[in-house]
Structure formats: structure tokens, C-alpha cells
Amino acid sequence: MQARYRAAPMLVSPLPDSLDALLDGALRPGGLRALFQPIVRLDDRQVVAHEGLMRHAHADVPPLRLLDRARTAGRLGELETHAARTLVQAFDFDRGGRLLINLSAHAILQGALRPQQVIESLHATGRDLSRFVIEITERDIVEDVDRLADALGYLRAAGIRIALDDFGNGHSNFELWHELGPEYVKIDRYLVHQIAQSPGRLSIVRALVQVADSLGTDLIAEGVERMQDLAIIQDLGIRFAQGYLLGRPNAAVTETAAEEVRQAIREKLPVWPLNGRRSAFPRVTAAHLLIEAPSISDQACNFDAEQLFRQHPQLPALPVVDHEGRPQGLINRRVFNERMAVPFARELLGRKPCIKLMHESPIMADVSQSIDAMSEILLGEDQRYLSDGFIITRDGRYAGVGTGEALVRRVTELRIEAARYANPLTLLPGNIPIAEHIARLIEARQSFMAAYCDLNHFKPYNDQYGYFRGDRMIRLVASTLTKHADPRWDFVGHVGGDDFVVLFQSDDWDRRCREMVGEFNAASRALFDDADVARGVLEGEDRAGRYATFPLTTLTIGATHVEPGRFSTAEEVASQAAAAKRHAKRLNVGLHVLAALDTQTA
């Protein structure tokens, strides 16, 4: 049976004749040279394997360009076989661990690389075939997955392991993963690079970890170039990593990872990135509020509009469009009926153009407009959306309508949901991410300091100056805490109101806390009126309604040391940190550390 295989469309310039000569040279004995990049096992920092990489021995030509030319010339299998032989001859099996060799699905399915041919080439080394891993590269769309799986079965039967390369880029897909059942899947550099700053990449890789666990696959993170990315990768439970940080391609094998990597790889539990603004409004758009409804031509008369309203009794307003389908206005049902109910109005207005009774400036939104952007409608002075609804367009033409009720309900739901994950005022992580991070620290048996931050006498300030300036003070707390926390290891969360939590892994947490208190207390003076600063107090009413004076607002931090095994839940840690904060406020100090023995008097 002939393999069904469809090449992906490629937009490439014509290849020069000289590339044929380079290909001929590469296929001669000694025409290729071998490089090896180490793969590190993260739990013990050991180099356990190397990926073999081919290079032209006599010219600086990109390998992918050479492979593309070989495929066009029908010599891909010949080139990949020659590259594999070059790699196994140059590899130091005594020191290098397993050897990963790239072979294309295209060459295997087209018969240019027969499984027995691959086995014989590797057998010639005299090494146990379990020392080899074949990486299946996918620069094309594989349509006959069953045939590919059958061919790889011969390799597996001989003891060779299989890896799926560059997952998350190109044509890697879950069908191949599921049907081929590879021992290893290599996560593409696109998902790994800067994962420490990308909530989206983190979410995708977390999902891949769950899939790998369920399918019994080991993951290899490719393209690791930064220490903070490596920390996230290991924290996710990925066992193997590869990249310039761990070792660059070299003619000789690498026996150990870099010293800085070996020392820092298990230093602390990294803080996962959280984009509060993005999480507040997922990709919900006007299209999700669209209701298909009739429209009326701007050439129609009021009798036509009256008939449409009768046919659609639930329609609050009738969009008016021109001959190209572009919205011109909106006829409100209530206003229209009131005008037509006036004595002799039907006789006078019935055959007049309907545009005479329409509102010429309707509220409009494109189908792609996000709910986040549409929420601004709720803040505007024009409140007609409550009665008229709004027009939804696609490429400037009428598509349907949306109701004000649906918009208000959806925005409210999203804001409530978002507030659980990120505080809308400061965009810092909310209660759920705080609890999740504490749980991660407890599960990892990581020692840390839980600090609860609160403002003294904030209510009198809010009562006197109003919520707008009160919000400014809350944002000042947030900016001060994040400024003095190490974003790699210290987690800053906003519980709500003037309550914040900082989970420190920094060894110098004490200094950071004192700097937080000192800087906030100094900077907050600018948020008071000069007269209040001069008096040093605020005047107002106490909880009983009596005249009282209050000190100027300051920051207090209560902290408690969390050792492995001391607490079993995030709730217990939060309660202890809150007790430390209460002690600090009673003692009227900027920072108080609550020891374990203090809990009975908290």
C-alpha cells in the first residue's frame, strides 16, 4: 500500500544550483561533521543523553536548507542515513549516555528510510540498541499515522526508543503523540523560552505535563536559555531539559551541566507568572452576545417598521441599514410606538421614511471587540444601551444586535470571576492564586516566610479623603511591596481592601520588609493635605460617632516562619500570618515576627 503523505505548502525562493553541489559534497565520505548537545536530567543535574546534530563539513550552509534540497532531489533518506552513520561514529558512548538521532517522517513513509536499514546502521556500532533514541521530525503533515506507527514498531522491537520532536510548533499534534506512543516528547523552544514571564506558555506546558503523565511519556524541554525558565520547567515536574544554558552543541560530549546550573537548579520554588489584566477578561467578544435580528432599509417607510415590530414583539429596537448593509441608525420600539400613537400620526407619518424616527448615533461594536473594551459602554453618559441595546457589526456591516441586559450580566460575571484571581485595582494575584502558591510551597517542603501586610488607620483616611485617594494609597502599597520583593522567588498577593500577603523565599526577607515599611510611610505623606501632615493627625469620628483624632496612615507587617511539615494547608498558614499581623498592630510596630510559641496568645 502506498503511503498517504501530503507535504505542507512552503513559500521558498528557488534553490541555487550551487546547493546541489553542496549536497553532493555532504553525501561524500567525510562530507558531514557531528555536533552533540547535552540533555540534562533535572532531579540530579546529570547529563544522560545528547542530541546528534549534523553540519556540512566544508561549507556554512543551514542544515534545514540542506535537508530541503535533499528532499526536493529525492535524496532525503540518503542524507539522513549518512548523517546517522556520521553521528554514531563520532559519539563517545562511554561518556555521553544515550544518543538522539533525527529522522524525518517523510523519509520513513516514502520508503527512503526502511526500518531494517536504520537498525542495521545502528547495529554496526556494536552498541546495545537501547542506547539510541530516534527523534521523529515533522516538517510536513503526516496523514498516514498508522503506517508511520507500524514502521516505528520495528525499531521499538529492536530496543530503540522513539521521541517526538518540536511539540508545540510545526506539525506536531496530539494524534501523533497518542498513536505513536513515544517514550519522549520534546517541547518546542517557542513554549519554553520566557515561560517565567508568560502565563499563556505556562498554561500550555502545564497541560502538556498532565497529558504526558496520563500517557506515560517523559518530556524534554528544548531551548532552555535562562535560569528563571529552567526553575519553572523543573517546578512543573518536567524531567529533562536541553538548551544553551545547559550546554551548547559541541564536537565532544559534555559530562556535567554547568556549575551555576547544578547549584541553582533546586535553590527555591519559582513564582509562576500571572497576568492579572489578561485573566480579568478572557477572549469573550461581542460575537458571544450577538442575537440575529431583522433590520430595515433606510429607504423603507414607518409602516414597514411598524410591521416588523409587530412580527418581532421581543425586539427592543430596529436597526436601520443602507443598501450595502452598513448601519445608519436605530429605531427604539417605545419611542416609535409613542410617536405613532399620537392622533393622526399614522396618517401623517406612516408613509414617511423611517429614518425620520431613528436615532442617528447608535451604540455599535464589532464582533471582535472584547468584553473588556465594551465594559466602557457601562461607564459612559449615553445609557441608551439599557433600552435600545446596541448594534453588532462585522467588517462594518450589520451582523446582529446585543442587549444591554446581557452586556451588564456578562461584564459583572467576568469581574467577579476575575477578582478571585487578580485584584482589579492593583492587578496583583487574588485569593485563589495566593492559596495555590502556598500549597505549592507546602507540597515542595520549601521553607518560607508568610508576611501579612495591613494599613493602620486607613478607614479614617478613606472617610476624609474619599475612595479615589484611598485607591491611590492602596496602589502605593502594591507598588512598594512589589518593588522590594524578588519577583523570581517572592510572591506578592492582594487579599482585598488594604490587606496584602507576601510569601518570601529571599533570605534577606527581614531587610526587605523594613524597607517596605519605611518607604511606604515616607511616600504616603504626599497623599495627605499639608495641614494634616503638619498636625500629624487626622480629625474625624470614631466607630461610636464621637469626635476623635487618628494618627496618619502607616504600614504594618506581621510575619511567621513556615518550616517544612509545620503546616499542612494554605488556610493554616494564612491564619498564622493574620495572627502575626494582629500582634504587630497591637504592639504598634512596623514589623513583628510571630514565633510558633506565640500562637496560643494570638
Side-chain angles (χ1 to χ4, degrees):
M1 181 179 69
Q2 185 175 0
R4 292 182 292 107
Y5 194 90
R6 178 165 58 88
M10 294 185 298
L11 300 177
V12 296
S13 57
L15 295 168
D17 293 339
S18 59
L19 200 54
D20 286 326
L22 290 173
L23 178 59
D24 289 337
L27 289 169
R28 296 190 185 102
L32 294 176
R33 59 189 177 92
L35 297 178
F36 303 99
Q37 187 171 28
I39 295 173
V40 174
R41 185 171 55 208
L42 297 183
D43 57 3
D44 60 5
R45 297 90 162 168
Q46 296 298 311
V47 175
V48 295
H50 287 77
E51 178 181 0
L53 305 168
M54 75 166 194
R55 296 292 185 268
H56 199 290
H58 309 295
D60 185 16
V61 55
L64 291 181
R65 192 164 173 81
L66 200 61
L67 288 166
D68 282 340
R69 185 54 185 154
R71 184 174 66 173
T72 303
R75 307 179 72 181
L76 182 59
E78 184 182 355
L79 178 61
E80 291 192 342
T81 302
H82 183 41
R85 288 172 179 157
T86 301
L87 293 172
V88 297
Q89 289 171 3
F91 188 63
D92 186 343
F93 285 91
D94 293 329
R95 300 193 304 160
R98 286 195 173 98
L99 175 61
L100 282 70
I101 300 173
N102 290 279
L103 296 180
S104 65
H106 176 89
I108 293 173
L109 286 175
Q110 293 298 319
L113 273 176
R114 297 186 307 276
Q116 191 58 39
Q117 177 186 355
V118 175
I119 294 172
E120 290 173 357
S121 297
L122 301 183
H123 253 313
T125 64
R127 299 287 176 173
D128 188 330
L129 293 186
S130 64
R131 299 290 299 277
F132 297 98
V133 179
I134 297 299
E135 284 192 43
I136 302 301
T137 60
E138 306 155 83
R139 302 189 63 210
D140 299 302
I141 301 170
V142 178
E143 292 188 338
D144 197 341
V145 178
D146 290 340
R147 177 161 181 175
L148 180 60
D150 182 63
L152 297 179
Y154 290 99
L155 303 182
R156 277 214 173 90
I160 300 170
R161 289 171 169 81
I162 304 299
L164 196 59
D165 195 20
D166 296 334
F167 197 90
N169 198 4
H171 298 289
S172 295
N173 58 59
F174 285 104
E175 181 187 8
L176 281 172
W177 187 345
H178 183 266
E179 296 301 324
L180 299 184
E183 284 79 10
Y184 305 97
V185 166
K186 302 185 77 173
I187 304 175
D188 188 73
R189 179 185 183 277
Y190 168 77
L191 294 175
V192 173
H193 185 60
Q194 295 189 338
I195 191 175
Q197 280 74 47
S198 173
R201 287 182 171 88
L202 175 63
S203 297
I204 294 171
V205 175
R206 286 180 69 186
L208 293 180
V209 170
Q210 291 181 334
V211 173
D213 287 343
S214 66
L215 296 179
T217 308
D218 275 322
L219 296 178
I220 302 173
E222 293 188 289
V224 179
E225 299 177 2
R226 309 186 315 156
M227 196 70 73
Q228 53 268 49
D229 293 336
L230 181 61
I232 294 288
I233 289 300
Q234 185 177 20
D235 185 39
L236 290 173
I238 295 175
R239 293 187 62 201
F240 304 99
Q242 176 182 356
Y244 284 176
L245 179 68
L246 302 163
R248 291 176 176 267
N250 199 292
V253 300
T254 303
E255 294 189 77
T256 59
E259 181 66 22
E260 60 170 336
V261 171
R262 286 186 284 137
Q263 290 183 351
I265 201 168
R266 266 297 190 187
E267 181 182 358
K268 295 180 177 72
L269 192 73
V271 175
W272 285 353
L274 175 70
N275 188 330
R277 186 172 296 279
R278 179 176 296 175
S279 65
F281 289 92
R283 283 300 300 169
V284 178
T285 65
H288 297 97
L289 303 180
L290 187 146
I291 301 172
E292 293 184 357
S295 63
I296 190 169
S297 168
D298 58 0
Q299 301 300 312
C301 66
N302 288 320
F303 280 147
D304 297 326
E306 186 178 52
Q307 184 177 3
L308 278 172
F309 276 129
R310 286 175 180 171
Q311 293 172 349
H312 302 276
Q314 303 302 319
L315 191 65
L318 184 61
V320 180
V321 301
D322 63 15
H323 68 284
E324 294 183 344
R326 300 182 184 280
Q328 302 298 304
L330 200 61
I331 302 174
N332 179 280
R333 173 187 286 271
R334 180 185 57 80
V335 173
F336 179 84
N337 287 340
E338 289 177 354
R339 291 290 302 274
M340 294 296 284
V342 173
F344 306 109
R346 297 187 78 255
E347 290 80 359
L348 296 173
L349 300 177
R351 299 191 182 283
K352 295 289 181 67
C354 66
I355 59 174
K356 298 294 185 181
L357 297 183
M358 77 176 184
H359 193 292
E360 296 181 354
S361 301
I363 298 174
M364 294 194 293
D366 187 80
V367 289
S368 63
Q369 191 168 354
S370 69
I371 294 294
D372 192 2
M374 292 183 67
S375 66
E376 299 298 321
I377 295 174
L378 308 183
L379 304 178
E381 295 182 1
D382 189 350
Q383 298 292 296
R384 285 180 298 109
Y385 69 88
L386 291 173
S387 58
D388 294 4
F390 49 92
I391 294 175
I392 299 177
T393 61
R394 180 180 286 107
D395 298 327
R397 291 177 171 79
Y398 173 72
V401 296
T403 66
E405 178 187 7
L407 176 61
V408 171
R409 182 173 63 251
R410 193 63 181 136
V411 168
T412 302
E413 290 172 351
L414 290 173
R415 288 199 182 278
I416 292 172
E417 181 66 16
R420 300 171 64 208
Y421 290 90
N423 186 280
L425 177 61
T426 62
L427 300 181
L428 288 175
N431 293 332
I432 290 180
I434 293 172
E436 288 177 346
H437 190 73
I438 295 175
R440 289 176 56 222
L441 289 166
I442 292 174
E443 184 178 356
R445 302 188 63 80
Q446 180 71 42
S447 175
F448 65 99
M449 292 296 299
Y452 201 118
C453 312
D454 191 16
L455 291 178
N456 301 309
H457 312 295
F458 177 65
K459 186 179 184 302
Y461 177 89
N462 216 30
D463 290 343
Q464 178 162 329
Y465 290 111
Y467 73 90
F468 184 79
R469 286 172 72 171
D471 286 351
R472 289 177 59 190
M473 182 166 283
I474 296 297
R475 284 194 291 266
L476 177 61
V477 177
S479 62
T480 303
L481 298 183
T482 53
K483 175 183 177 181
H484 292 284
D486 187 329
R488 298 172 300 171
W489 318 118
D490 302 333
F491 182 99
V492 182
H494 189 173
V495 177
D498 59 332
D499 293 337
F500 293 79
V501 166
V502 185
L503 306 170
F504 287 102
Q505 293 181 81
S506 296
D507 296 332
D508 57 348
W509 61 268
D510 182 273
R511 174 187 63 81
R512 292 177 186 272
C513 285
R514 297 188 187 281
E515 289 178 351
M516 289 172 178
V517 171
E519 182 171 313
F520 173 84
N521 291 347
S524 63
R525 293 297 180 267
L527 301 179
F528 292 86
D529 290 344
D530 292 341
D532 290 332
V533 174
R535 285 194 301 270
V537 296
L538 290 177
E539 297 179 341
E541 294 182 349
D542 60 18
R543 297 185 182 274
R546 297 186 297 265
Y547 172 83
T549 59
F550 303 92
L552 300 185
T553 308
T554 56
L555 179 65
T556 287
I557 299 178
T560 187
H561 194 196
V562 181
E563 291 286 358
R566 181 181 174 192
F567 301 105
S568 58
T569 67
E571 183 179 356
E572 293 172 357
V573 174
S575 297
Q576 180 75 355
K581 182 259 298 185
R582 292 194 296 272
H583 269 262
K585 291 178 80 75
R586 282 202 294 266
L587 296 172
N588 195 27
V589 295
L591 172 65
H592 175 69
V593 181
L594 183 65
L597 296 178
D598 296 334
T599 56
Q600 295 180 349
T601 60

